[in-house]
């Protein structure tokens, strides 16, 4: 069997439809835009903004958001073309299978686990932090933090043991997903309305409290004094990626996590009512809305509080910290924002878990993963076994990894997927130029190439530890592919090749 065997578009479109053992088509364009916003606005905005500003970019984190948004826009245009051509669950995995072959598709599917599974874990960790803040820090540090984290309390170091609140929210949302996609989408839409409203309120009120001195200098200088960390140690800004334009670039790699989610819309293509029209609207619409909100939000947050604060006192629950310490008479807003953030985090976790289970569903249908991941619930038509297994898998990361490690690994997995999707668009344009494309990526190959360059640069800017961890993850994935997936691939086994439909490519 060839490692680069491809699934033709006719085979992709022969995927079972609703009523024939397939997923139900219940989502409209509005649902998809809300789904994208639900996935995008969350930990990236409320946690990673402060992390990038405090450690790398300072007030210029607004520029980091612009760099990340440009990279996402180029990739988003490529995603939209693929989603309109191939309205099937699986996202970048499916697109790679059609253009670059099975081994590349597997690598992308494996990378998407870093995006969705670790993304859900990262946000659940942030959910835990804000929930404890809302409760007045009544949950002991040991029971809401990773063993890899510690804090200085009364001169003594206290280390985490397990993050229990993160496990609780993951369990509740996994059960909701098992109940049904439409129910999950409805809950998500309500949450999106609430959290976008709160973001707008913070921007409107916070604008009055911007201190121009906090935006000067706009870029962190190389000789900036070191910041104090929660454990009592200091953090130096002398490194190339910790100040100036280097800091803006690494900041882009950090806040890139804030944009993860628009591509999750593409994983729900098989559940969209009119995917060829609605998928591009969902992907690009949610990206545009969130980019505007991000730039305004980060400008206000870094104007209200000095960026150094986000390295110590404001590191956890940074938005609530900025309000309570620098916006007098608005304590009620701090509480309201915390509640909205918790709701927002919940919707992000929901969409991440949805995206991961749909990728698993598609890979299992192709034989690359065990059949258990494609088993649908007899009543709800959801991949319930996959959701249950995913809860255990994601829960382990959420319980025992810190937010920073899980977040950077999520970003590098997503950036890699974006690069492959950009390559895939160019390949499909060359190999199938006459294919009907309801949405076409403009200025090909310029847009895909720029997307590859920007996303590749952000990968290079991330920490070496993160890059090596991602490489180790890929090696593990290849071991699984060659010991299980390659032998069980339906496409690679002539007797199990998926049924061929009419020549879809020429329609």
């Amino acid at each position: 069997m060839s490692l680069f065997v491809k699934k033709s578009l006719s085979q992709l479109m022969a995927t079972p439809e609703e009523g024939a053992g397939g997923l139900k088509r219940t989502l409209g364009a509005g649902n998809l835009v809300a789904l994208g916003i639900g996935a995008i606005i969350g930990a990236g905005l409320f946690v990673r903004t402060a992390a990038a500003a405090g450690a790398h970019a300072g007030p210029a984190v607004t520029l980091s958001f612009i760099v990340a948004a440009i990279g996402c826009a180029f990739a988003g245009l490529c995603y939209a073309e693929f989603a309109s051509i191939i309205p099937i669950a699986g996202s970048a995995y499916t697109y790679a299978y059609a253009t670059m072959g099975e081994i590349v598709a597997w690598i992308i599917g494996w990378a998407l686990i870093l995006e969705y599974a670790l993304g859900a874990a990262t946000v659940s960790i942030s959910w835990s932090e804000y929930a404890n803040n809302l409760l007045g820090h009544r949950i002991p540090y040991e029971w809401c933090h990773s063993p890899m984290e510690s804090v200085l309390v009364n001169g003594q170091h206290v280390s985490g043991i397990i993050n229990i609140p993160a496990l609780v929210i993951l369990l509740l949302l996994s059960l909701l997903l098992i109940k049904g996609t439409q129910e999950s989408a409805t809950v998500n839409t309500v949450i999106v309305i609430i959290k976008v409203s709160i973001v707008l309120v913070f921007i409107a009120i916070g604008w009055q409290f911007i201190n121009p001195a906090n935006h000067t200098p706009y870029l962190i200088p190389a000789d900036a004094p070191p910041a104090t960390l929660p454990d009592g140690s200091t953090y130096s800004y002398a490194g190339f990626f910790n100040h100036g334009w280097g800091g803006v670039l690494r900041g882009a790699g950090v806040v890139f996590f804030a944009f993860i989610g628009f591509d999750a819309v593409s994983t729900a293509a098989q559940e969209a009512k009119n995917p060829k029209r609605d998928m591009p609207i969902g992907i690009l619409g949610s990206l545009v809305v969130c980019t505007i909100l991000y730039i305004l939000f980060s400008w206000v947050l870094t104007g209200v509080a000095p960026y150094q604060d986000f390295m110590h006192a404001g590191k956890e629950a940074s938005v609530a910290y900025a309000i309570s310490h620098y916006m007098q008479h608005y304590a009620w807003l701090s509480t309201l924002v915390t509640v909205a953030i918790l709701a927002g985090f919940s919707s992000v976790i929901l969409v991440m878990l949805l995206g991961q289970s749909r990728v698993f569903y598609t890979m299992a249908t192709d034989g690359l993963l065990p059949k258990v991941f494609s088993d649908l619930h007899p009543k709800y038509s959801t991949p319930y076994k996959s959701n249950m297994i995913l809860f255990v898998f994601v829960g382990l990361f959420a319980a025992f990894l810190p937010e920073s490690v899980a977040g950077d690994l999520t970003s590098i997995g997503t950036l890699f997927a974006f690069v492959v999707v950009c390559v895939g668009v160019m390949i499909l344009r060359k190999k199938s130029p006459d294919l009907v494309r309801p949405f076409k990526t403009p200025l090909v190959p310029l847009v895909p190439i720029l997307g590859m360059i920007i996303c590749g640069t952000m990968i290079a800017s991330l920490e070496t530890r993160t890059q090596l961890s991602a490489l180790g993850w890929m090696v593990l994935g290849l071991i699984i592919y060659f010991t299980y997936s390659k032998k069980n691939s339906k496409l690679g086994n002539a007797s199990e090749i998926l049924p061929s439909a009419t020549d879809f490519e020429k329609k």
Side-chain angles (χ1 to χ4, degrees):
M1 159 191 156
S2 170
L3 296 177
F4 297 95
V5 62
K6 299 178 181 66
K7 186 185 288 188
S8 71
L9 294 179
S10 60
Q11 291 170 335
L12 285 171
M13 300 310 293
T15 302
E17 284 294 321
E18 180 179 353
L23 300 169
K24 292 183 178 180
R25 293 195 179 275
T26 59
L27 305 178
N31 291 132
L32 293 171
V33 171
L35 200 65
I37 296 174
I40 298 171
I41 297 181
L45 180 61
F46 299 119
V47 176
R48 304 293 277 177
T49 300
H56 307 293
V61 70
T62 52
L63 300 179
S64 296
F65 272 117
I66 292 174
V67 171
I70 292 172
C72 287
F74 290 140
L77 289 168
C78 297
Y79 263 97
E81 177 171 322
F82 267 128
S84 69
I85 298 171
I86 312 172
I88 301 298
S91 185
Y93 161 79
T94 300
Y95 310 153
Y97 218 151
T99 58
M100 285 170 277
E102 184 173 278
I103 182 64
V104 180
W106 168 263
I107 292 173
I108 286 300
W110 195 246
L112 287 175
I113 297 176
L114 283 180
E115 175 180 354
Y116 297 129
L118 277 182
T122 302
V123 182
S124 67
I125 295 167
S126 299
W127 189 96
S128 173
E129 294 172 355
Y130 271 86
N132 199 22
N133 182 70
L134 185 65
L135 295 173
H137 299 282
R138 291 175 184 163
I139 304 175
Y141 185 91
E142 299 94 316
W143 304 112
C144 59
H145 286 84
S146 153
M148 297 170 63
E149 295 176 290
S150 64
V151 68
L152 199 62
V153 179
N154 297 325
Q156 293 186 340
H157 284 277
V158 177
S159 297
I161 297 175
I162 185 174
N163 199 327
I164 293 178
L167 290 175
V168 171
I169 189 62
L170 284 171
L171 176 61
L172 293 176
L173 294 176
S174 295
L175 293 175
L176 177 60
L177 278 173
I178 290 172
K179 178 67 170 64
T181 303
Q182 181 58 52
E183 290 82 355
S184 301
T186 300
V187 170
N188 175 70
T189 300
V190 173
I191 292 175
V192 165
I193 293 172
I194 293 172
K195 68 180 178 181
V196 170
S197 299
I198 295 302
V199 168
L200 292 173
V201 169
F202 172 75
I203 292 172
I205 296 177
W207 204 279
Q208 309 168 47
F209 292 89
I210 291 177
N211 181 356
N214 291 335
H215 284 154
T216 306
Y218 199 57
L219 297 173
I220 296 178
D223 59 352
T228 303
L229 300 178
D231 62 2
S233 61
T234 58
Y235 176 85
S236 173
Y237 290 102
F240 175 76
F241 287 113
N242 292 345
H243 69 273
W245 285 104
V248 170
L249 185 58
R250 176 163 287 180
V254 173
V255 300
F256 176 80
F257 181 88
F259 288 97
I260 292 172
F262 78 85
D263 61 310
V265 175
S266 65
T267 67
Q270 205 167 323
E271 293 156 278
K273 294 177 182 177
N274 186 3
K276 292 185 177 182
R277 177 182 69 89
D278 296 344
M279 293 308 296
I281 294 175
I283 292 171
L284 299 176
S286 58
L287 181 59
V288 169
V289 170
C290 293
T291 298
I292 294 171
L293 289 176
Y294 280 8
I295 293 172
L296 293 173
F297 182 91
S298 58
W299 174 264
V300 172
L301 182 63
T302 56
V304 169
Y307 69 86
Q308 297 94 334
D309 280 19
F310 300 132
M311 294 301 289
H312 49 91
K315 194 172 180 64
E316 291 186 4
S318 52
V319 179
Y321 167 84
I323 294 172
S324 60
H325 283 75
Y326 294 99
M327 296 170 60
Q328 295 181 2
H329 311 302
Y330 283 95
W332 60 269
L333 180 59
S334 177
T335 301
L336 190 61
V337 165
T338 300
V339 172
I341 287 173
L342 287 173
F345 285 175
S346 300
S347 69
V348 175
I349 299 168
L350 187 72
V351 178
M352 291 292 180
L353 292 176
L354 169 70
Q356 182 61 74
S357 62
R358 272 42 179 186
V359 172
F360 275 174
Y361 169 84
T362 306
M363 294 177 75
T365 301
D366 293 335
L368 303 185
L369 287 177
K371 184 178 178 296
V372 66
F373 291 105
S374 61
D375 288 344
L376 298 181
H377 194 283
K379 180 179 179 180
Y380 304 128
S381 295
T382 56
Y384 68 111
K385 292 181 181 178
S386 180
N387 284 129
M388 291 188 289
I389 295 171
L390 196 56
F391 161 69
V392 175
F393 179 72
V394 175
L396 289 173
F397 285 107
F400 300 111
L401 278 184
E403 186 271 341
S404 59
V405 174
D408 285 347
L409 280 171
T410 303
S411 293
I412 202 169
T414 310
L415 285 164
F416 184 65
F418 283 10
V419 170
V420 174
V421 169
C422 290
V423 174
V425 163
M426 293 190 292
I427 292 176
L428 198 60
R429 284 287 184 96
K430 185 174 180 62
K431 290 192 172 182
S432 302
D434 298 326
L435 187 67
V436 176
R437 292 171 168 84
F439 178 88
K440 293 186 70 174
T441 303
L443 301 175
V444 174
L446 179 61
V447 166
I449 290 174
L450 289 175
M452 292 162 54
I453 292 173
I454 294 175
C455 292
T457 302
M458 283 191 277
I459 289 176
S461 74
L462 292 171
E463 293 184 358
T464 303
R465 179 185 64 175
T466 302
Q467 296 168 349
L468 292 176
S469 297
L471 179 62
W473 177 258
M474 287 300 162
V475 171
L476 175 62
L478 289 174
I479 292 173
I480 294 175
Y481 174 77
F482 285 106
T483 56
Y484 176 86
S485 305
K486 186 172 182 290
K487 298 176 182 177
N488 292 276
S489 168
K490 291 182 179 181
L491 192 59
N493 187 329
S495 64
E496 292 185 324
I497 282 185
L498 298 178
S500 176
T502 56
D503 190 4
F504 175 78
E505 290 91 336
K506 296 181 180 179
K507 283 189 176 182

